Amino acid sequence: MHKAGVKKFPYYVGVNSLAELATKDDKVCVLNILGNESKAVTPTSHEYSGGNVVFGTGPGRSGQALETKLGPIPVYNSIKEARAKGLKFNTAVIYLPPSGVKDGVAEVVRQNPDLKKVIILTEKVSIKDARTIRAICQANGIDVFGGNCLGVADAWNKVRIGGALGGNKPEESLVKGSIAIFSNSGNFTTTIATYLLTKGWGTTTSISSGKDVYIHFSPAEFFHALDNDDRSKGAIIYAEPGGYYEHGLEINKPTVACVVGRWKAKLTKACGHAGSLAGSGDDARAKEKWFMDYFGVKDIYTPENPVFSKKGAVVTNIAHIPDALTKVMELNKIKPDFEPKGDLSLKCWFGNSQGLKLPKELDALVVKAIEPYAEQIEIISKQLGAQYPRQSMKDASGATMMDAKTQLTKVYNVSLLDCSKKSLEENLVFSLIKDYPDEYGRTLANLAFNVYVNMHGDAALIAADAAREAESSPNTALASAIAIIGKGRVKHAVNEASLLLELFQHSGLQNATDKFDSAKILKGLTAEQKELFTEKTPHSAIRIPQSEGDKSVFIKFVKEAAGGKPSSDALLAAIWMTLGWSALMRRKISKSTIINLPWYSRIFSAFVAASVDSSKHEKDKFCGVRSQEIIEKWSFTETAFLALIGRKPTADELFEFSMLLGLLISNGPGTISAQGCKGGVSADGPEDPTRVQINKAFIGFLTHTGFAHGGNGYEAIAFLIDRFKDKNLKSPADKKHGLNLKAIADEYAKWYGKYKAKEKAAGNIEYMKVPCVNHPVFKGKAVNYDPRERFVNSLFEEKGIYNVFFDFYHNLVQTLFDNKVSENVYCVNIDAVIAVILLKMVWEPFKAGKISEKEVETAAFTTFLFGRMIGCAAEIDDHINRGRNMDTRTPASSCSFVG
Amino acid sequence: MQLTGLLWGGKLLKKVEFPCADVLGPEASVDEIKDLIKKKGQVFIKPIFKGGVGKKGKSGLIGKASDITAALQEKERLYFAKHPAGTSKADGVTFEGGVPAKHEVYFSLSESTVFRAPTMTITHHGGVDIEELGKDKIKEIPFDPLTGLKSFHIANALEELGAPSEIISPLVQHLPKLWTLYNNYGMNVLELNPIRMFQDNAGRLIPVACDFKCSFDIDDPAWKRLDLPAHLFASDYSEFEQEINQLRTYQGQSDVFVINEKGTITAPTFGGGANALVTELLGERATISSDFGGNPPYTKMLEISKIVFKYWLGQSNVLFIIGGKANNTDIYETFRAMADALRWYFQTYGPKPIYVVVGRGGPNLIRGMAYMKDTVESLGLPYRFFGFDSAMSEVVNYALKTDEWMEKEGKKQLKEKMGI
């Protein structure tokens, strides 16, 4: 059953002429108008067409609007609601996901008796839904275009309905002329229109038909409507294998048919267009033959073998369309619409042979692109640094990612296992620069961090002390100190970094340690600028030996600019420009990041500094060690260890400590600490990066840690202390400890087995669990391993590092199984690794009574904060670069009330 | 996604209570086979091929036996039989009870692009290839999908064909059930050939399906309701294709097809049209044919690219990123994803001597090309990026010539430059 339409067809067709297909009278409703694709495409269509979209729908979105240059397009919950407001339309454009398309069509047909056209953009609509849609629309007298099409456009009427024909600049491709286009490929609709320009042909109506199994508006309808369109003097049809839509056509105007896809005869399943899977008689060769028969030609048209007739030509390469059309039209005495625009020869816009000796035919020279692209290339070649499109970064990160399967987190694509082989200072640099520093870079980073660790007399320490006295937790005390490291504290260094960036950004310098003559830049400096780089106090805090300073273009430059007396801020800025410059030039980091590096640097120093109370900050000493020695000889990792344990680490301890910090860096953007720092950025509004308070974002991280997140590592330490405090364990690093670990584990396993049975019998399922064994992912095998623990274990074995607590844990999981407490051998998980390393570090002073259990707990928590500071720095910088203002908020509709 | 044979087809037919020949799977015991022979007089032994294959009968791949010895001999012959029409290898056999009958019927349901409607094809001259029959012996009947296949469609068709009157009524009763199966479980082809008209004790004719073939629409999730084991379709897809298919969502295409496992040009292609054209021109030099158009989001494109590179970059001379002037696909997002995946590949698998050729247009083109350029520069790879005003076929030709040169001497030169 179908409504009466154009009489010629045994089914309903409403469009009698191509001129009626996309007109200024067509009024459009877009279903799912606020969907991602529609949101990007609909405004352009609306503006190009002079405002043809009347409204859109989006369930639950009534009252919202889609902004366009012609004003907002209102959004309603449903068609019914919009119709009740008196809004009228004759065309529906469907942007719904595939499972909703059929229902969307049913709704719009049911609710709007004026409906004449439906255009379905959605891909992957099921065949069942496609046939149902056809039946509904046939019964109601509606023409359907798509699915998986890009809609229709008319260059004469300047109207585009549906998808993105012509992209974001439709006027570039859709130039008024005399050729109609029908194409199975949306992209080729535009590409063919662009190609036609090179021979002076413009277009009338362009139809992207889609190439699903069902093509509702097919070539038969197209050629009928072509005949009735006086504007169209000829046509192009692009067809692929599969389906009989091109069979038995009546073609009366000069036409070039392009059939592509002979290779698809070997397909056993669709690849590319869903309907482009041929059966026995509808493959590409069959279709070529159909068209050759229509045109009365015996071969395919190629430039070498130009076979054509007055009726048309068949090509198998879209690049041959303009030539073939021109030849066919010549026979019909029809001249091109305008002078040719451009040509189709190879034009290389970007290229580099990397010094290879290429044969001449491959050595395509870079040519100037057509406008406006040439201008964009020029602008972008001048642009510095990474540029990211802004998007909501709620629960998303461009810095860290945790693989739910492996439980492995990566920071900038580097696994934490690899990060854990690096030092604290290397990881801190990496968190912001996205590259690990070389030896020289590491020296500079240590200097920058260590020089600000002694904060003798600084208000930040007083704030932290006050917080500790008030019995606040270690993270709270640190947050109090970090609050003092605000923008005002670093403004000189940040300003000087900005100035260095301004001076060098177009200098051609690629790497700060390259040989470079900065005499010209130096000469151009104003007196004020030189003044900015000069130290005002008698002594600069930072002193860099000549031999080291001369390696960096920036350090040398600020020294010379300041007449040999550079300020600490200038040197700090120069150090970080040295570290970050290459990454900036390779667009790995943004300008905003490089300018703010001194601020991050001061915050990192303050984290370590304020982790000990002010009594440890003497005029010339930090934790009892001469500050100058620390600045000149210590790594920042060693300084952090000093702050925690009160002494310099041994080589093995340094390795273990670095590893521990590396493992703590991140667990992805979903962790509370990451959420805290991201919220801090979001609330300041990253769309104006200069307003974001980086120290406040770190406070967000700190306030989002606590006794449950960060402090919980102590649970395992307390467990181990209980097992070992009465044992005569002198050094946990000594393999000859003389203890029977298996017996200790066995004793505990037996006790635990009884305890567990008793609690279960009493109906308590919240009984105490053995800390740091078993894992929700790494379980269920006869013997289970956490791969991260295995990695650390193998590294320790390789280095000959022994840890009695680690050994105990391996004994424990076996004895738990032997005593039938566990069904299989549990894994020792990564938290155990953290606990055993930490306890090993503090065991001797603890056992000697030099530090209390409370201090051990503080040390464990602070260690977590040091490690997590690295990951949160990456998270903060990433969110500043990519995020939107207030993007971490949760809409009220997603919140629940549980009162 | 195709299913052939009665082993699984029988289970599907049961869902709509359509009679089907008795069938035993490869695990059937000697006693079970003996019982079937006893009950039915004879059994047919057919190899089980996964996915779609050509005709088994034509290739001598159907055995017949009336005693257990012959049945077991045929089992041995056919258990790992190789189909001459392709590379498919059997994985076991079925034993199907014989259905004595005077009449054989061919019946299928499919989507017709001629009628643009679901269409029944029927003839009472079944049991042979449908293509071998004259048009006058077959009826193709399109029908309204909203009301479905009705008894009168079948009665009218058989009457017009001049089918024996005794078979009309039983077919009219049973065949509409097949529309339920076809329509409710996402099929786009369902073919039963032959349906044998078995006479029961009361003298009534009953249509019994003696072979089964169907194909499912990958875009219709309804087939998942059948709980068919995944291995049934595994042979339809290579390991690589299966990995990519896991990312199949409606946001962005992710169609791939392995062209030549020894190919040397890997071409992530954007758009169905470009897919058709580029694959045609690259021929056997391509590793895969692909369509990644439809504006895939960054994360999806990154994952797809990682899989493509993991499987194919190691053997490739040329990484060829090609598409027309995109209408809607964000070039910056897709290029950023591919560039990041390329960097990941080099970090994970080490540097490889690859020449990068790009031909593309669309929104954010220059930002995307600049990102890609920075990445390939930092990896030390040679490259040429062409604007969309270069003919796509010419860019393909450039990639082909580059591949030839790389094979001959470029790869060696580049390895030295990169210190590999």
Side-chain angles (χ1 to χ4, degrees):
Chain A
M1 290 291 287
H2 65 84
K3 270 210 166 174
V6 176
K7 282 201 180 113
K8 181 176 165 184
F9 297 102
Y11 44 85
Y12 175 80
V13 178
V15 174
N16 196 40
S17 161
L18 290 181
E20 302 165 8
L21 205 52
T23 73
K24 290 279 183 206
D25 294 332
D26 287 319
K27 296 298 166 207
V28 179
C29 152
V30 179
L31 276 71
N32 194 21
I33 191 167
L34 297 178
N36 275 342
E37 194 172 342
S38 163
K39 221 162 45 182
V41 174
T42 302
T44 310
S45 304
H46 185 64
E47 289 153 15
Y48 175 74
S49 312
N52 61 349
V53 182
V54 184
F55 71 96
T57 61
R61 294 189 157 189
S62 187
Q64 297 183 27
L66 179 65
E67 294 301 328
T68 76
K69 285 178 193 158
L70 301 179
I73 301 170
V75 179
Y76 295 94
N77 285 329
S78 64
I79 305 285
K80 189 177 172 185
E81 187 190 353
R83 294 268 302 161
K85 304 256 180 206
L87 296 177
K88 295 197 165 180
F89 64 99
N90 67 342
T91 303
V93 170
I94 315 277
Y95 273 106
L96 294 159
S99 58
V101 170
K102 182 188 67 180
D103 291 358
V105 173
E107 180 197 4
V108 75
V109 171
R110 174 78 65 90
Q111 299 291 342
N112 183 17
D114 304 331
L115 192 70
K116 287 288 155 215
K117 281 174 271 205
V118 169
I119 298 174
I120 303 167
L121 284 303
T122 313
E123 298 162 16
K124 300 186 173 75
V125 176
S126 72
I127 293 172
K128 179 181 176 179
D129 287 353
R131 66 181 177 238
T132 308
I133 288 166
R134 179 161 184 85
I136 294 172
C137 291
Q138 282 286 303
N140 289 278
I142 295 156
D143 286 311
V144 182
F145 300 82
N148 194 13
C149 80
L150 278 182
V152 295
D154 193 306
W156 284 52
N157 298 336
K158 277 198 80 181
V159 169
R160 150 176 131 174
I161 307 175
L165 284 180
N168 51 357
K169 294 189 178 80
E171 56 288 337
E172 269 183 25
S173 326
L174 305 173
V175 179
K176 185 176 169 181
S178 58
I179 306 300
I181 300 175
F182 180 95
S183 167
N184 280 172
S185 157
N187 181 277
F188 278 6
T189 317
T190 307
T191 305
I192 290 167
T194 311
Y195 282 11
L196 288 178
L197 300 176
T198 63
K199 288 288 175 186
W201 298 102
T203 55
T204 52
T205 305
S206 301
I207 301 174
S208 156
S209 67
K211 184 61 181 150
D212 279 355
V213 171
Y214 275 82
I215 297 179
H216 304 286
F217 194 88
S218 77
E221 291 82 84
F222 168 76
F223 283 110
H224 168 80
L226 174 73
D227 289 344
N228 293 330
D229 178 16
D230 293 338
R231 310 166 311 162
S232 300
K233 298 192 172 76
I236 307 293
I237 175 168
Y238 170 83
E240 288 183 15
Y244 285 82
Y245 297 108
E246 296 81 7
H247 193 248
L249 294 175
E250 196 182 302
I251 302 177
N252 300 316
K253 288 189 181 178
T255 296
V256 172
C258 179
V259 182
V260 175
R262 287 184 187 180
W263 68 277
K264 291 205 172 200
K266 70 188 251 188
L267 278 179
T268 51
K269 56 195 174 264
C271 178
H273 291 129
S276 194
L277 183 62
S280 50
D282 54 352
D283 61 8
R285 285 185 190 275
K287 292 196 177 187
E288 290 165 17
K289 179 80 172 47
W290 298 342
F291 281 112
M292 284 196 275
D293 290 346
Y294 301 144
F295 303 143
V297 294
K298 292 212 169 349
D299 212 342
I300 301 295
Y301 178 102
T302 63
E304 301 76 34
N305 181 31
V307 181
F308 57 100
S309 73
K310 206 173 170 184
K311 286 183 172 176
V314 186
V315 298
T316 56
N317 180 344
I318 57 166
H320 299 158
I321 290 174
D323 258 343
L325 178 73
T326 307
K327 295 248 166 56
V328 172
M329 295 302 252
E330 261 171 22
L331 280 187
N332 288 280
K333 298 193 170 53
I334 303 171
K335 287 187 178 154
D337 301 314
F338 38 73
E339 285 300 308
K341 296 181 181 179
D343 65 82
L344 291 178
S345 62
L346 272 183
K347 293 166 209 77
C348 179
W349 289 5
F350 294 93
N352 186 342
S353 305
Q354 305 291 7
L356 299 182
K357 286 179 210 133
L358 292 180
K360 207 175 164 198
E361 56 175 358
L362 293 184
D363 200 7
L365 294 177
V366 176
V367 298
K368 193 178 173 198
I370 48 169
E371 291 300 348
Y373 302 95
E375 195 187 340
Q376 290 174 18
I377 291 172
E378 203 180 323
I379 292 169
I380 214 152
S381 63
K382 282 186 187 162
Q383 272 175 359
L384 271 191
Q387 311 235 346
Y388 302 96
R390 292 216 171 265
Q391 62 189 88
S392 168
M393 294 299 289
K394 181 178 169 61
D395 305 329
S397 172
T400 65
M401 179 174 68
M402 186 191 214
D403 185 325
K405 272 189 206 154
T406 62
Q407 295 287 299
L408 273 181
T409 300
K410 288 181 175 179
V411 181
Y412 294 121
N413 255 334
V414 177
S415 154
L416 285 199
L417 300 182
D418 293 326
C419 293
S420 70
K421 292 187 208 162
K422 302 282 184 182
S423 64
L424 172 62
E425 60 273 11
E426 284 172 313
N427 277 321
L428 285 170
V429 172
F430 173 68
S431 72
L432 297 165
I433 310 293
K434 304 179 189 175
D435 278 333
Y436 279 108
D438 58 12
E439 202 43 47
Y440 177 58
R442 199 170 155 227
T443 305
L444 291 181
N446 279 327
L447 176 64
F449 295 140
N450 280 335
V451 81
Y452 290 103
V453 157
N454 189 336
M455 294 177 75
H456 177 66
D458 197 300
L461 294 181
I462 298 164
D465 278 356
R468 278 189 204 101
E469 275 166 31
E471 295 183 14
S472 295
S473 56
N475 57 320
T476 318
L478 272 182
S480 313
I482 301 301
I484 312 295
I485 316 297
K487 194 179 248 181
R489 277 285 180 104
V490 294
K491 68 178 176 203
H492 294 301
V494 168
N495 286 344
E496 280 141 47
S498 299
L499 179 56
L500 286 172
L501 175 63
E502 196 187 311
L503 294 170
F504 281 85
Q505 60 183 338
H506 300 306
S507 67
L509 177 68
Q510 293 300 313
N511 195 315
T513 51
D514 287 349
K515 276 202 172 134
F516 186 81
D517 184 3
S518 48
K520 206 171 159 195
I521 302 174
L522 203 59
K523 211 173 159 193
L525 282 180
T526 63
E528 288 84 17
Q529 287 172 328
K530 284 182 180 170
E531 184 65 18
L532 207 61
F533 289 127
T534 309
E535 182 64 53
K536 313 288 181 303
T537 61
H539 298 293
S540 165
I542 303 181
R543 283 195 292 274
I544 303 174
Q546 181 94 17
S547 57
E548 291 294 314
D550 282 356
K551 287 183 195 166
S552 158
V553 172
F554 292 106
I555 295 172
K556 199 171 167 212
F557 178 82
V558 295
K559 277 186 175 176
E560 287 174 4
K565 286 178 67 185
S567 70
S568 299
D569 288 324
L571 285 169
L572 185 66
I575 286 173
W576 282 104
M577 293 306 274
T578 307
L579 286 163
W581 191 257
S582 163
L584 180 81
M585 296 313 287
R586 286 178 289 126
R587 294 199 172 95
K588 283 190 93 170
I589 64 169
S590 70
K591 278 176 157 182
S592 151
T593 299
I594 201 165
I595 288 169
N596 281 318
L597 290 175
W599 195 354
Y600 285 100
S601 180
R602 291 290 302 272
I603 291 169
F604 296 150
S605 301
F607 258 81
V608 171
S611 67
V612 295
D613 64 47
S614 55
S615 68
K616 306 259 172 69
H617 294 254
E618 297 170 68
K619 193 159 182 277
D620 296 319
K621 282 182 182 172
F622 175 71
C623 292
V625 180
R626 274 194 338 105
S627 297
Q628 205 50 41
E629 184 191 329
I630 292 175
I631 295 168
E632 286 171 8
K633 293 181 179 160
W634 286 41
S635 73
F636 193 50
T637 321
E638 288 170 321
T639 313
F641 189 94
L642 173 70
L644 283 173
I645 313 294
R647 62 176 169 80
K648 196 173 187 177
T650 63
D652 279 357
E653 281 174 331
L654 189 65
F655 176 79
E656 289 173 284
F657 182 53
S658 300
M659 168 162 281
L660 180 57
L661 296 178
L663 293 171
L664 291 166
I665 289 176
S666 171
N667 267 338
T671 52
I672 304 175
S673 47
Q675 298 265 318
C677 68
K678 286 166 79 68
V681 175
S682 177
D684 272 346
E687 288 173 46
D688 179 359
T690 59
R691 285 173 66 87
V692 179
Q693 304 167 78
I694 293 170
N695 64 321
K696 195 205 71 176
F698 276 98
I699 295 171
F701 141 52
L702 287 166
T703 57
H704 282 65
T705 58
F707 294 121
H709 178 41
N712 62 333
Y714 184 66
E715 195 190 336
I717 292 178
F719 168 77
L720 288 167
I721 288 177
D722 275 353
R723 306 280 82 70
F724 286 89
K725 66 181 171 194
D726 300 328
K727 309 280 183 295
N728 186 26
L729 175 65
K730 285 193 183 117
S731 166
D734 187 359
K735 210 168 181 178
K736 293 177 187 157
H737 45 65
L739 301 178
N740 185 344
L741 296 179
K742 191 170 180 311
I744 301 172
D746 203 45
E747 184 191 355
Y748 178 76
K750 285 199 168 82
W751 173 85
Y752 184 77
K754 280 182 198 155
Y755 158 81
K756 187 178 165 187
K758 195 173 140 198
E759 292 297 309
K760 272 183 139 178
N764 176 19
I765 52 162
E766 297 291 317
Y767 58 86
M768 179 191 80
K769 308 286 186 303
V770 182
C772 304
V773 298
N774 206 3
H775 191 277
V777 174
F778 312 116
K779 61 168 188 181
K781 293 182 183 152
V783 181
N784 296 283
Y785 294 109
D786 180 333
R788 302 165 296 179
E789 178 269 329
R790 289 285 86 191
F791 172 80
V792 174
N793 194 50
S794 66
L795 275 185
F796 282 178
E797 278 176 8
E798 199 179 290
K799 289 209 162 252
I801 295 173
Y802 180 76
N803 185 322
V804 68
F805 306 117
F806 207 15
D807 199 355
F808 167 74
Y809 252 115
H810 290 132
N811 275 284
L812 179 64
V813 287
Q814 188 60 49
T815 53
L816 285 171
F817 174 70
D818 294 342
N819 282 285
K820 299 190 168 53
V821 177
S822 59
E823 286 177 7
N824 46 44
V825 181
Y826 286 156
C827 70
V828 175
N829 68 32
I830 191 70
D831 292 336
V833 175
I834 293 165
V836 299
I837 297 176
L838 251 171
L839 186 58
K840 185 183 167 191
M841 284 178 351
V842 298
W843 182 257
E844 285 175 43
F846 169 70
K847 193 71 180 159
K850 287 183 191 163
I851 56 171
S852 63
E853 262 197 71
K854 178 82 189 157
E855 282 168 314
V856 173
E857 183 177 0
T858 299
F861 196 164
T862 309
T863 305
F864 171 81
L865 297 177
F866 285 177
R868 192 49 63 91
M869 153 175 88
I870 304 166
C872 283
E875 222 63 86
I876 291 165
D877 179 58
D878 178 63
H879 205 119
I880 294 173
N881 282 310
R882 296 175 195 267
R884 289 193 178 281
N885 295 354
M886 302 200 298
D887 55 359
T888 58
R889 67 183 280 279
T890 305
S893 57
S894 306
C895 299
S896 54
F897 175 67
V898 292
Chain B
M1 284 176 33
Q2 298 179 33
L3 201 63
T4 51
L6 279 183
L7 186 61
W8 288 96
K11 294 184 206 305
L12 301 193
L13 290 169
K14 241 181 214 159
K15 291 204 178 279
V16 291
E17 295 169 342
F18 192 93
C20 166
D22 288 346
V23 58
L24 294 171
E27 74 292 344
S29 66
V30 169
D31 286 344
E32 283 171 326
I33 302 166
K34 269 187 190 166
D35 283 350
L36 188 61
I37 295 171
K38 199 172 164 193
K39 192 170 148 197
K40 297 292 174 186
Q42 67 174 3
V43 289
F44 292 92
I45 299 100
K46 298 179 186 172
I48 302 171
F49 292 106
K50 283 174 185 167
V53 289
K55 303 270 183 302
K56 294 178 213 166
K58 268 190 170 178
S59 317
L61 294 177
I62 296 182
K64 199 160 73 170
S66 310
D67 60 73
I68 185 70
T69 316
L72 292 177
Q73 269 170 4
E74 286 298 86
K75 175 182 173 181
E76 205 177 315
R77 177 174 77 88
L78 297 168
Y79 205 93
F80 294 116
K82 209 173 163 192
H83 198 285
T87 52
S88 300
K89 207 173 168 191
D91 183 19
V93 292
T94 55
F95 302 90
E96 296 171 16
V99 179
K102 228 164 73 185
H103 307 286
E104 288 191 324
V105 173
Y106 170 97
F107 174 86
S108 76
L109 290 171
S110 61
E111 302 298 318
S112 163
T113 55
V114 175
F115 302 113
R116 278 179 261 186
T119 300
M120 169 189 73
T121 305
I122 192 165
T123 171
H124 58 289
H125 305 286
V128 296
D129 270 359
I130 188 82
E131 291 86 2
E132 288 172 6
L133 290 173
K135 288 224 157 163
D136 57 325
K137 291 186 173 159
I138 305 166
K139 273 281 164 197
E140 287 182 286
I141 311 292
F143 53 90
D144 185 343
L146 297 180
T147 47
L149 178 68
K150 297 287 159 216
S151 301
F152 68 85
H153 294 127
I154 298 155
N156 292 348
L158 290 170
E159 207 166 298
E160 282 168 34
L161 281 171
S165 55
E166 69 265 30
I167 70 167
I168 296 179
S169 173
L171 287 170
V172 162
Q173 279 180 52
H174 287 282
L175 290 179
K177 295 172 185 172
L178 296 171
W179 166 250
T180 310
L181 187 62
Y182 179 90
N183 191 41
N184 289 358
Y185 295 104
M187 292 179 184
N188 55 20
V189 174
L190 170 61
E191 184 187 87
L192 302 185
N193 185 25
I195 297 170
R196 292 172 68 85
M197 303 304 291
F198 172 72
Q199 193 165 26
D200 70 4
N201 293 338
R204 283 181 305 226
L205 288 180
I206 300 168
V208 179
C210 291
D211 207 353
F212 182 95
K213 189 156 96 183
C214 80
S215 161
F216 294 100
D217 176 9
I218 195 170
D219 292 325
D220 190 341
W223 65 273
K224 291 177 187 159
R225 294 179 205 146
L226 292 166
D227 284 331
L228 295 169
H231 68 80
L232 285 183
F233 306 113
S235 69
D236 288 2
Y237 300 97
S238 67
E239 206 180 313
F240 162 68
E241 289 163 347
Q242 282 178 50
E243 222 174 299
I244 292 277
N245 279 347
Q246 285 175 9
L247 300 168
R248 195 177 166 91
T249 62
Y250 72 91
Q251 279 183 306
Q253 296 284 357
S254 53
D255 282 352
V256 289
F257 185 82
V258 177
I259 296 289
N260 179 4
E261 284 182 349
K262 292 185 177 149
T264 46
I265 301 177
T266 295
T269 308
F270 292 83
N275 161 265
L277 183 75
V278 171
T279 311
E280 177 110 16
L281 296 174
L282 289 180
E284 290 294 310
R285 307 266 283 281
T287 53
I288 57 167
S289 170
S290 61
D291 176 9
F292 299 138
N295 198 22
Y298 169 83
T299 42
K300 180 172 177 175
M301 197 62 229
L302 177 71
E303 290 309 312
I304 285 176
S305 310
K306 280 183 175 180
I307 298 169
V308 170
F309 295 168
K310 182 177 79 180
Y311 277 90
W312 305 110
L313 222 47
Q315 69 187 62
S316 298
N317 297 326
V318 179
L319 170 63
F320 182 32
I321 297 168
I322 183 77
K325 185 182 179 193
N327 292 300
N328 193 32
T329 298
D330 188 326
I331 306 300
Y332 177 65
E333 287 298 292
T334 47
F335 273 42
R336 187 164 67 91
M338 286 187 286
D340 288 353
L342 189 61
R343 192 184 291 282
W344 164 85
Y345 178 84
F346 274 54
Q347 281 167 357
T348 313
Y349 298 95
K352 293 276 185 301
I354 290 160
Y355 198 114
V356 181
V357 180
V358 172
R360 194 68 170 122
N364 281 329
L365 176 65
I366 299 302
R367 284 182 68 202
M369 281 186 165
Y371 192 97
M372 182 62 77
K373 167 184 167 285
D374 289 344
T375 305
V376 294
E377 282 277 8
S378 71
L379 299 176
L381 301 179
Y383 63 92
R384 289 290 187 281
F385 298 174
F386 298 97
F388 60 87
D389 54 349
S390 307
M392 192 186 283
S393 52
E394 286 303 309
V395 182
V396 178
N397 286 337
Y398 181 87
L400 283 166
K401 283 181 207 156
T402 305
D403 178 50
E404 264 172 42
W405 175 75
M406 283 289 283
E407 193 66 45
K408 257 195 269 167
E409 56 179 305
K411 217 168 175 172
K412 194 168 158 266
Q413 268 193 45
L414 186 53
K415 268 187 174 176
E416 278 167 21
K417 277 262 178 254
M418 295 172 78
I420 304 173

